[in-house]
Every structure is written in structure tokens, then in C-alpha cells.
Coordinates of all heavy atoms in Angstrom, one line a residue:
M283 N -35.3 -42.5 223.7 CA -34.7 -41.5 224.5 C -35.3 -40.1 224.2 O -35.6 -39.8 223.1 CB -33.2 -41.4 224.2 CG -32.5 -40.4 225.0 SD -30.7 -40.2 224.5 CE -30.8 -40.3 222.8
K284 N -35.5 -39.4 225.3 CA -36.1 -38.1 225.1 C -35.0 -37.1 224.8 O -33.9 -37.1 225.3 CB -36.8 -37.6 226.4 CG -37.7 -36.4 226.2 CD -38.7 -36.3 227.3 CE -39.3 -34.9 227.4 NZ -39.7 -34.3 226.1
I285 N -35.4 -36.2 223.9 CA -34.4 -35.2 223.4 C -34.9 -33.8 223.8 O -36.1 -33.5 223.7 CB -34.3 -35.3 221.9 CG1 -33.5 -36.6 221.5 CG2 -33.6 -34.1 221.3 CD1 -33.7 -37.0 220.1
I286 N -34.0 -33.0 224.3 CA -34.3 -31.6 224.6 C -33.6 -30.7 223.6 O -32.4 -30.9 223.3 CB -33.7 -31.3 226.0 CG1 -34.1 -32.4 227.0 CG2 -34.1 -29.9 226.5 CD1 -35.3 -32.1 227.9
V287 N -34.4 -29.8 223.0 CA -33.9 -28.9 222.0 C -33.4 -27.6 222.7 O -34.1 -27.1 223.6 CB -35.0 -28.6 221.0 CG1 -34.4 -27.6 220.0 CG2 -35.4 -29.9 220.3
L288 N -32.2 -27.2 222.4 CA -31.6 -26.0 223.1 C -31.2 -25.0 222.0 O -30.7 -25.4 221.0 CB -30.4 -26.4 223.9 CG -30.7 -27.4 225.1 CD1 -29.4 -28.0 225.5 CD2 -31.3 -26.6 226.2
T289 N -31.4 -23.7 222.4 CA -30.9 -22.7 221.5 C -29.7 -22.0 222.1 O -29.8 -21.6 223.2 CB -32.1 -21.6 221.3 OG1 -33.3 -22.3 221.2 CG2 -31.9 -20.8 220.1
E290 N -28.7 -21.9 221.3 CA -27.5 -21.2 221.7 C -27.7 -19.7 221.2 O -27.9 -19.4 220.1 CB -26.3 -21.8 221.0 CG -25.0 -21.2 221.5 CD -23.8 -21.8 220.8 OE1 -24.0 -22.8 220.0 OE2 -22.7 -21.3 220.9
L291 N -27.7 -18.8 222.2 CA -27.9 -17.4 221.9 C -26.7 -16.6 221.9 O -25.8 -16.9 222.7 CB -29.0 -16.8 222.9 CG -30.3 -17.4 222.8 CD1 -31.2 -16.9 224.0 CD2 -31.0 -17.2 221.5
R292 N -26.7 -15.6 221.1 CA -25.5 -14.7 221.2 C -26.1 -13.3 221.3 O -27.0 -12.9 220.6 CB -24.8 -14.8 219.8 CG -23.6 -13.9 219.8 CD -22.9 -14.0 218.4 NE -24.0 -13.9 217.4 CZ -23.7 -13.8 216.1 NH1 -22.5 -13.9 215.7 NH2 -24.7 -13.7 215.2
R293 N -25.5 -12.6 222.3 CA -26.0 -11.2 222.5 C -25.2 -10.3 221.6 O -24.0 -10.5 221.4 CB -25.8 -10.8 223.9 CG -26.8 -11.5 224.8 CD -26.8 -11.0 226.3 NE -27.2 -9.7 226.5 CZ -28.5 -9.3 226.5 NH1 -29.4 -10.2 226.3 NH2 -28.8 -8.0 226.7
A294 N -25.8 -9.4 220.9 CA -25.1 -8.6 219.9 C -25.7 -7.1 220.0 O -26.7 -6.9 220.6 CB -25.4 -9.1 218.5
L295 N -24.9 -6.3 219.5 CA -25.4 -4.9 219.4 C -26.6 -4.8 218.5 O -26.7 -5.5 217.6 CB -24.2 -4.0 218.8 CG -23.0 -3.7 219.7 CD1 -22.0 -3.1 218.9 CD2 -23.4 -2.9 220.9
G296 N -27.4 -3.8 218.8 CA -28.5 -3.6 217.9 C -28.0 -3.1 216.6 O -26.9 -2.7 216.4
D297 N -28.9 -3.2 215.6 CA -28.5 -2.9 214.2 C -28.0 -1.5 214.0 O -27.2 -1.2 213.2 CB -29.7 -3.2 213.3 CG -30.0 -4.7 213.2 OD1 -29.0 -5.5 213.4 OD2 -31.1 -5.1 212.8
D298 N -28.5 -0.6 214.9 CA -28.1 0.8 214.7 C -26.8 1.1 215.5 O -26.4 2.2 215.5 CB -29.2 1.7 215.1 CG -29.7 1.5 216.6 OD1 -29.1 0.6 217.2 OD2 -30.6 2.2 217.0
F299 N -26.3 0.1 216.2 CA -25.1 0.3 217.1 C -25.3 1.4 218.1 O -24.3 2.0 218.5 CB -23.9 0.5 216.2 CG -23.5 -0.7 215.4 CD1 -23.9 -0.7 214.1 CD2 -22.8 -1.8 216.0 CE1 -23.6 -1.9 213.3 CE2 -22.5 -2.9 215.2 CZ -22.9 -2.9 213.9
G300 N -26.5 1.7 218.4 CA -26.8 2.8 219.3 C -26.7 2.3 220.7 O -26.4 1.1 221.0
P301 N -27.1 3.2 221.7 CA -27.0 2.8 223.1 C -28.2 1.9 223.6 O -28.3 1.7 224.8 CB -26.9 4.1 223.8 CG -27.7 5.0 222.9 CD -27.5 4.5 221.5
G302 N -29.0 1.5 222.7 CA -30.2 0.8 223.1 C -29.9 -0.6 223.6 O -28.8 -1.0 223.8
E303 N -31.0 -1.3 223.7 CA -30.9 -2.7 224.2 C -30.0 -3.6 223.3 O -30.1 -3.5 222.0 CB -32.3 -3.3 224.2 CG -33.2 -2.7 225.3 CD -32.9 -3.2 226.6 OE1 -33.0 -4.4 226.8 OE2 -32.5 -2.4 227.5
A304 N -29.3 -4.5 223.9 CA -28.6 -5.5 223.1 C -29.7 -6.4 222.6 O -30.7 -6.7 223.3 CB -27.6 -6.2 223.9
V305 N -29.5 -7.0 221.4 CA -30.5 -8.0 220.9 C -29.8 -9.3 221.0 O -28.6 -9.5 221.0 CB -30.8 -7.7 219.5 CG1 -31.6 -6.4 219.4 CG2 -29.6 -7.6 218.6
T306 N -30.7 -10.3 221.2 CA -30.2 -11.7 221.2 C -30.6 -12.3 219.9 O -31.7 -12.2 219.4 CB -30.8 -12.5 222.4 OG1 -32.2 -12.3 222.4 CG2 -30.2 -12.1 223.7
R307 N -29.6 -13.0 219.4 CA -29.9 -13.7 218.1 C -29.6 -15.2 218.3 O -28.6 -15.5 219.0 CB -28.9 -13.2 217.0 CG -29.3 -11.8 216.6 CD -28.6 -11.5 215.2 NE -29.0 -10.2 214.7 CZ -28.3 -9.1 214.9 NH1 -27.2 -9.1 215.6 NH2 -28.8 -8.0 214.4
A308 N -30.4 -16.0 217.7 CA -30.1 -17.5 217.8 C -28.9 -17.7 217.0 O -28.7 -17.3 215.8 CB -31.3 -18.2 217.2
E309 N -27.9 -18.4 217.6 CA -26.7 -18.7 217.0 C -26.7 -20.1 216.4 O -26.3 -20.4 215.3 CB -25.6 -18.7 218.0 CG -24.2 -19.0 217.6 CD -23.5 -17.9 216.9 OE1 -24.1 -16.8 216.8 OE2 -22.4 -18.1 216.4
A310 N -27.3 -21.1 217.1 CA -27.4 -22.4 216.7 C -28.4 -23.2 217.5 O -28.7 -22.8 218.6 CB -26.0 -23.1 216.8
V311 N -29.0 -24.2 216.9 CA -29.9 -25.0 217.6 C -29.3 -26.4 217.9 O -28.8 -27.0 216.9 CB -31.3 -25.1 216.9 CG1 -32.2 -26.1 217.6 CG2 -31.9 -23.8 216.7
H312 N -29.2 -26.8 219.1 CA -28.5 -28.0 219.5 C -29.6 -28.9 220.1 O -30.7 -28.5 220.5 CB -27.4 -27.8 220.5 CG -26.3 -26.9 220.0 ND1 -25.3 -27.3 219.3 CD2 -26.2 -25.5 220.2 CE1 -24.5 -26.3 219.0 NE2 -25.0 -25.2 219.5
A313 N -29.2 -30.2 220.3 CA -30.0 -31.1 221.0 C -29.2 -31.8 222.1 O -28.0 -31.9 222.0 CB -30.6 -32.2 220.1
A314 N -29.9 -32.1 223.2 CA -29.2 -32.8 224.3 C -30.1 -33.9 224.8 O -31.3 -33.8 224.8 CB -28.9 -31.8 225.4
P315 N -29.5 -35.0 225.3 CA -30.4 -36.0 225.9 C -30.9 -35.5 227.2 O -30.3 -34.7 227.9 CB -29.4 -37.2 226.1 CG -28.0 -36.6 226.1 CD -28.1 -35.3 225.3
A316 N -32.1 -35.9 227.6 CA -32.7 -35.5 228.8 C -31.9 -36.1 230.0 O -31.3 -37.2 229.9 CB -34.1 -36.0 228.9
D317 N -31.8 -35.3 231.0 CA -31.1 -35.7 232.3 C -31.8 -36.9 232.8 O -33.0 -36.8 233.1 CB -31.1 -34.6 233.2 CG -30.2 -34.8 234.4 OD1 -30.1 -36.0 234.9 OD2 -29.6 -33.9 235.0
P318 N -31.2 -38.1 233.1 CA -31.9 -39.2 233.6 C -32.4 -39.0 235.0 O -33.4 -39.6 235.4 CB -30.8 -40.3 233.6 CG -29.5 -39.7 233.4 CD -29.7 -38.3 232.8
D319 N -31.8 -38.1 235.8 CA -32.3 -37.8 237.1 C -33.5 -36.8 237.1 O -34.3 -36.9 238.0 CB -31.2 -37.3 238.0 CG -30.0 -38.3 238.1 OD1 -30.4 -39.5 238.2 OD2 -28.9 -37.9 238.2
T320 N -33.4 -35.9 236.2 CA -34.5 -34.9 236.2 C -35.0 -34.8 234.7 O -34.7 -34.0 234.0 CB -34.1 -33.5 236.6 OG1 -32.8 -33.2 236.0 CG2 -34.0 -33.3 238.1
P321 N -35.9 -35.8 234.4 CA -36.4 -35.8 233.0 C -37.1 -34.5 232.7 O -37.8 -34.0 233.6 CB -37.4 -37.0 233.0 CG -37.1 -37.8 234.2 CD -36.5 -36.9 235.2
G322 N -36.9 -34.0 231.6 CA -37.5 -32.6 231.3 C -36.4 -31.6 231.3 O -36.6 -30.5 230.7
D323 N -35.3 -31.9 232.0 CA -34.2 -31.0 232.0 C -33.1 -31.7 231.1 O -32.9 -32.9 231.1 CB -33.6 -30.8 233.4 CG -34.4 -29.7 234.1 OD1 -35.2 -29.0 233.5 OD2 -34.2 -29.6 235.3
P324 N -32.3 -30.8 230.4 CA -31.2 -31.4 229.6 C -30.1 -31.9 230.5 O -29.8 -31.4 231.6 CB -30.8 -30.2 228.7 CG -31.1 -29.0 229.5 CD -32.4 -29.4 230.3
G325 N -29.3 -32.9 230.0 CA -28.1 -33.3 230.7 C -27.1 -32.2 230.5 O -27.3 -31.2 229.9
G326 N -25.9 -32.5 231.0 CA -24.8 -31.4 231.0 C -24.2 -31.1 229.7 O -23.7 -30.0 229.5
K327 N -24.4 -32.0 228.7 CA -23.7 -31.8 227.4 C -24.7 -32.0 226.3 O -25.5 -32.9 226.3 CB -22.5 -32.8 227.3 CG -21.4 -32.4 228.2 CD -20.2 -31.9 227.3 CE -19.2 -31.2 228.1 NZ -18.3 -32.0 228.9
T328 N -24.5 -31.3 225.2 CA -25.3 -31.5 224.0 C -24.7 -32.7 223.3 O -23.6 -33.2 223.6 CB -25.2 -30.3 223.1 OG1 -23.9 -30.1 222.7 CG2 -25.8 -29.0 223.8
F329 N -25.3 -33.1 222.2 CA -24.8 -34.2 221.4 C -23.5 -33.9 220.8 O -22.7 -34.8 220.4 CB -25.8 -34.7 220.4 CG -27.0 -35.5 221.0 CD1 -28.2 -34.9 221.2 CD2 -26.8 -36.8 221.3 CE1 -29.2 -35.7 221.7 CE2 -27.8 -37.6 221.8 CZ -29.0 -37.0 222.1
C330 N -23.2 -32.6 220.6 CA -22.0 -32.2 219.9 C -20.9 -31.9 221.0 O -19.8 -31.4 220.7 CB -22.2 -31.0 219.0 SG -22.8 -29.6 219.8
G331 N -21.2 -32.1 222.3 CA -20.2 -31.9 223.3 C -20.1 -30.6 224.0 O -19.3 -30.3 224.8
L332 N -21.1 -29.7 223.6 CA -21.0 -28.4 224.3 C -21.8 -28.4 225.6 O -22.7 -29.3 225.8 CB -21.7 -27.3 223.4 CG -21.1 -26.9 222.1 CD1 -22.0 -26.0 221.3 CD2 -19.7 -26.2 222.4
S333 N -21.4 -27.6 226.5 CA -22.1 -27.5 227.8 C -23.5 -26.9 227.5 O -23.6 -25.9 226.8 CB -21.3 -26.6 228.7 OG -22.1 -26.3 229.9
T334 N -24.5 -27.4 228.2 CA -25.9 -26.9 228.0 C -26.1 -25.7 228.9 O -27.1 -25.1 228.8 CB -26.9 -28.0 228.4 OG1 -26.7 -28.4 229.7 CG2 -26.8 -29.2 227.5
E335 N -25.2 -25.4 229.7 CA -25.3 -24.2 230.6 C -25.4 -23.0 229.8 O -24.6 -22.8 228.8 CB -24.1 -24.1 231.5 CG -24.3 -23.3 232.7 CD -24.0 -24.1 234.0 OE1 -24.2 -25.3 233.9 OE2 -23.6 -23.5 235.0
G336 N -26.3 -22.1 230.1 CA -26.4 -20.9 229.4 C -27.2 -21.0 228.1 O -27.5 -20.0 227.4
M337 N -27.6 -22.2 227.7 CA -28.4 -22.3 226.5 C -29.9 -22.2 226.9 O -30.3 -22.5 228.0 CB -28.2 -23.6 225.8 CG -26.8 -23.7 225.1 SD -26.7 -25.0 224.0 CE -25.0 -25.1 223.7
D338 N -30.7 -21.7 226.0 CA -32.1 -21.6 226.2 C -32.8 -22.8 225.7 O -32.6 -23.3 224.7 CB -32.6 -20.4 225.4 CG -32.8 -19.2 226.2 OD1 -32.1 -19.1 227.3 OD2 -33.7 -18.3 225.9
R339 N -33.7 -23.2 226.6 CA -34.5 -24.4 226.2 C -35.6 -24.0 225.2 O -36.3 -23.0 225.4 CB -35.1 -25.0 227.5 CG -35.6 -26.3 227.2 CD -35.8 -27.1 228.4 NE -36.8 -28.1 228.0 CZ -37.6 -28.7 228.8 NH1 -37.5 -28.5 230.1 NH2 -38.4 -29.6 228.3
H340 N -35.7 -24.8 224.2 CA -36.8 -24.6 223.2 C -38.0 -25.5 223.6 O -37.8 -26.6 223.9 CB -36.2 -24.9 221.8 CG -37.1 -24.3 220.7 ND1 -38.3 -24.9 220.4 CD2 -37.0 -23.3 219.9 CE1 -38.9 -24.2 219.4 NE2 -38.1 -23.2 219.1
P341 N -39.2 -24.9 223.5 CA -40.3 -25.8 223.9 C -40.6 -26.9 222.9 O -41.4 -27.8 223.3 CB -41.5 -24.8 223.9 CG -41.0 -23.6 223.0 CD -39.5 -23.6 223.2
Y342 N -40.0 -26.9 221.8 CA -40.3 -28.0 220.8 C -39.7 -29.3 221.3 O -38.6 -29.4 221.8 CB -39.7 -27.6 219.5 CG -39.8 -28.7 218.4 CD1 -40.9 -28.8 217.6 CD2 -38.7 -29.6 218.2 CE1 -41.0 -29.8 216.7 CE2 -38.8 -30.6 217.3 CZ -40.0 -30.7 216.5 OH -40.0 -31.7 215.6
S343 N -40.5 -30.3 221.0 CA -40.0 -31.7 221.3 C -40.6 -32.6 220.3 O -41.8 -32.6 220.0 CB -40.4 -32.1 222.7 OG -40.0 -33.4 222.9
P344 N -39.8 -33.4 219.6 CA -40.3 -34.3 218.6 C -41.3 -35.3 219.3 O -40.9 -35.9 220.3 CB -39.1 -35.0 218.0 CG -38.0 -34.8 218.9 CD -38.3 -33.6 219.7
S345 N -42.5 -35.4 218.8 CA -43.5 -36.2 219.5 C -43.6 -37.6 218.9 O -44.2 -38.5 219.5 CB -44.8 -35.5 219.5 OG -45.2 -35.1 218.2
R346 N -43.1 -37.8 217.7 CA -43.2 -39.2 217.2 C -41.9 -39.5 216.5 O -41.2 -38.7 216.0 CB -44.4 -39.3 216.3 CG -44.4 -38.3 215.2 CD -45.7 -38.4 214.4 NE -45.9 -37.3 213.6 CZ -45.3 -37.0 212.4 NH1 -44.5 -37.9 211.9 NH2 -45.6 -35.9 211.7
A347 N -41.7 -40.8 216.3 CA -40.5 -41.3 215.7 C -40.5 -40.8 214.2 O -41.5 -40.8 213.6 CB -40.4 -42.8 215.7
G348 N -39.3 -40.5 213.7 CA -39.2 -40.1 212.4 C -39.4 -38.6 212.2 O -39.1 -38.0 211.1
Q349 N -39.9 -37.9 213.2 CA -40.1 -36.5 213.1 C -38.7 -35.8 213.3 O -37.9 -36.3 214.1 CB -41.0 -36.0 214.2 CG -41.7 -34.7 214.0 CD -42.8 -34.4 215.0 OE1 -42.9 -35.0 216.0 NE2 -43.6 -33.4 214.7
A350 N -38.5 -34.7 212.6 CA -37.3 -33.9 212.8 C -37.1 -33.5 214.2 O -38.0 -33.2 214.9 CB -37.3 -32.7 211.9
W351 N -35.8 -33.6 214.7 CA -35.6 -33.2 216.1 C -35.6 -31.7 216.3 O -35.7 -31.2 217.4 CB -34.2 -33.8 216.5 CG -33.0 -33.2 215.8 CD1 -32.4 -33.7 214.7 CD2 -32.3 -32.0 216.2 NE1 -31.4 -32.9 214.3 CE2 -31.2 -31.9 215.2 CE3 -32.3 -31.1 217.2 CZ2 -30.3 -30.8 215.2 CZ3 -31.4 -30.0 217.2 CH2 -30.4 -29.9 216.2
Y352 N -35.5 -30.9 215.2 CA -35.5 -29.5 215.4 C -36.8 -28.9 214.9 O -37.5 -29.5 214.1 CB -34.3 -28.9 214.6 CG -34.3 -29.4 213.1 CD1 -35.1 -28.8 212.1 CD2 -33.6 -30.5 212.8 CE1 -35.1 -29.3 210.9 CE2 -33.5 -31.0 211.5 CZ -34.3 -30.4 210.6 OH -34.3 -30.9 209.3
P353 N -37.2 -27.8 215.5 CA -38.5 -27.2 215.2 C -38.5 -26.6 213.7 O -37.4 -26.2 213.3 CB -38.7 -26.1 216.2 CG -37.4 -25.9 216.9 CD -36.5 -27.0 216.6
A354 N -39.6 -26.6 213.1 CA -39.7 -26.1 211.7 C -39.3 -24.6 211.8 O -39.6 -23.9 212.7 CB -41.1 -26.3 211.2
G355 N -38.6 -24.2 210.8 CA -38.2 -22.8 210.7 C -36.8 -22.5 211.2 O -36.3 -21.4 211.0
V356 N -36.2 -23.4 211.9 CA -34.9 -23.2 212.4 C -33.8 -24.1 211.7 O -32.7 -24.2 212.1 CB -34.7 -23.3 213.9 CG1 -35.7 -22.4 214.6 CG2 -34.9 -24.7 214.3
S357 N -34.3 -24.8 210.6 CA -33.4 -25.8 210.0 C -32.0 -25.2 209.6 O -31.0 -25.9 209.7 CB -34.1 -26.5 208.9 OG -34.4 -25.5 207.9
R358 N -32.0 -23.9 209.2 CA -30.7 -23.4 208.8 C -29.8 -23.1 210.0 O -28.6 -22.9 209.9 CB -30.9 -22.2 207.9 CG -31.3 -20.9 208.6 CD -31.8 -19.9 207.6 NE -32.4 -18.7 208.2 CZ -31.7 -17.6 208.4 NH1 -30.5 -17.5 208.0 NH2 -32.3 -16.6 209.0
F359 N -30.4 -23.1 211.2 CA -29.5 -22.9 212.4 C -29.1 -24.2 213.1 O -28.4 -24.2 214.1 CB -30.3 -22.0 213.4 CG -30.5 -20.6 213.0 CD1 -31.8 -20.2 212.7 CD2 -29.5 -19.7 212.9 CE1 -32.1 -18.9 212.3 CE2 -29.7 -18.4 212.5 CZ -31.0 -18.0 212.2
R360 N -29.6 -25.3 212.6 CA -29.4 -26.5 213.3 C -27.9 -26.9 213.3 O -27.2 -26.7 212.3 CB -30.2 -27.6 212.9 CG -29.8 -28.2 211.5 CD -30.8 -29.3 211.1 NE -30.4 -30.0 209.9 CZ -30.7 -29.7 208.7 NH1 -31.4 -28.6 208.5 NH2 -30.2 -30.4 207.7
C361 N -27.5 -27.4 214.4 CA -26.1 -27.8 214.6 C -25.8 -29.1 213.8 O -26.5 -30.1 214.0 CB -25.8 -28.0 216.1 SG -24.2 -28.9 216.4
P362 N -24.9 -29.0 212.8 CA -24.6 -30.2 212.0 C -24.1 -31.4 212.8 O -24.4 -32.6 212.4 CB -23.6 -29.7 211.0 CG -23.0 -28.5 211.5 CD -24.0 -27.9 212.5
T363 N -23.4 -31.1 213.8 CA -22.8 -32.2 214.6 C -23.9 -32.9 215.4 O -24.0 -34.2 215.5 CB -21.7 -31.7 215.6 OG1 -20.8 -30.9 214.8 CG2 -20.9 -32.9 216.2
C364 N -24.8 -32.2 216.0 CA -25.9 -32.7 216.7 C -26.8 -33.5 215.8 O -27.3 -34.6 216.0 CB -26.8 -31.7 217.4 SG -26.0 -31.0 218.9
D365 N -27.0 -32.9 214.6 CA -27.9 -33.5 213.6 C -27.3 -34.9 213.2 O -28.1 -35.9 213.1 CB -27.9 -32.6 212.4 CG -29.0 -32.9 211.4 OD1 -30.1 -33.3 211.9 OD2 -28.8 -32.9 210.2
K366 N -26.0 -35.0 213.0 CA -25.4 -36.2 212.6 C -25.5 -37.3 213.7 O -25.8 -38.4 213.5 CB -23.9 -36.0 212.3 CG -23.4 -36.9 211.3 CD -22.0 -36.5 210.8 CE -21.2 -37.6 210.3 NZ -19.8 -37.4 210.3
A367 N -25.3 -36.8 214.9 CA -25.3 -37.7 216.1 C -26.8 -38.3 216.2 O -26.9 -39.5 216.5 CB -24.9 -37.0 217.4
L368 N -27.8 -37.4 216.0 CA -29.1 -37.9 216.2 C -29.6 -38.8 215.0 O -30.4 -39.7 215.2 CB -30.1 -36.7 216.2 CG -30.0 -36.0 217.6 CD1 -30.6 -34.6 217.5 CD2 -30.8 -36.8 218.6
R369 N -29.0 -38.6 213.9 CA -29.3 -39.5 212.8 C -28.8 -40.9 213.0 O -29.4 -41.9 212.5 CB -28.7 -39.0 211.5 CG -29.6 -38.0 210.8 CD -28.9 -37.4 209.6 NE -29.2 -36.0 209.3 CZ -30.3 -35.7 208.6 NH1 -31.0 -36.6 208.0 NH2 -30.6 -34.4 208.4
S370 N -27.7 -41.0 213.7 CA -27.1 -42.3 213.9 C -27.6 -43.0 215.1 O -27.1 -44.1 215.5 CB -25.6 -42.2 213.9 OG -25.2 -41.3 215.0
L371 N -28.6 -42.5 215.8 CA -29.1 -43.1 217.0 C -29.9 -44.4 216.7 O -30.6 -44.4 215.7 CB -30.0 -42.2 217.8 CG -29.3 -41.1 218.6 CD1 -30.3 -40.2 219.3 CD2 -28.4 -41.7 219.6
Ligands
ZN679 ZN1 -24.8 -29.2 218.6

């Protein structure tokens, strides 16, 4: 099964709380199964049951079996529920 990696973003005030641009921060990294009708697009729900709407697609995709489903460097943001679901596949 193809897995799509999604980033849940949260818009927040800039660090100076000034009137400048809001910054987006990664809140969590989730995974969703690819939509069977449009492979390459995520289905409606992540493995942890969240709507994929509004989430940002991450270009990372595990290319071989046994490879981590999440991109290197974001392990501390990975969703534990998605992680568990993917481990039991
Ligand atoms: Zn998740």
C-alpha cells in the first residue's frame, strides 16, 4: 500500500508578537493511505482518523520496505497513533 505523508500545520504569531507575518509551524506529521481513485493523493482520513483536509502534503515517501514512514528529521513530530497503525500493517 502506498502511504502519503502529511504535515499538520498550525499558524501562530511570530516570536515577537508583532504585526508581522504569522508563521506556520509543523504540529504533527501524519500518514494517510493513498486514495484508491487518485493514487498520489491522500484518502480522506489519516491512519489516526483525522481529516486530511487542510494538511500539507510532504514530498517524502518511503521507497522500500522497512524504511521509516516519516522523513528523517521530523521523528519528534510524528503522530504516535499513525506510527502504531503503520507498524501493525
Ligand atoms: Zn496521525
Side-chain angles (χ1 to χ4, degrees):
M283 181 183 42
K284 190 161 164 47
I285 287 160
I286 312 262
V287 178
L288 296 162
T289 319
E290 186 182 354
L291 297 173
R292 182 182 47 169
R293 290 184 68 78
L295 287 171
D297 290 334
D298 58 357
F299 294 99
E303 292 281 298
V305 293
T306 48
R307 290 198 174 93
E309 176 83 1
V311 176
H312 301 273
D317 189 327
D319 296 327
T320 44
D323 279 348
K327 288 249 162 77
T328 63
F329 283 102
C330 61
L332 290 174
S333 169
T334 58
E335 200 122 332
M337 289 196 193
D338 257 26
R339 195 162 156 202
H340 196 285
Y342 174 84
S343 175
S345 51
R346 55 185 164 78
Q349 199 172 15
W351 64 269
Y352 48 87
V356 303
S357 59
R358 73 195 174 100
F359 292 111
R360 74 184 188 269
C361 167
T363 312
C364 285
D365 194 40
K366 208 172 158 200
L368 284 161
R369 273 174 212 274
S370 59
L371 282 180

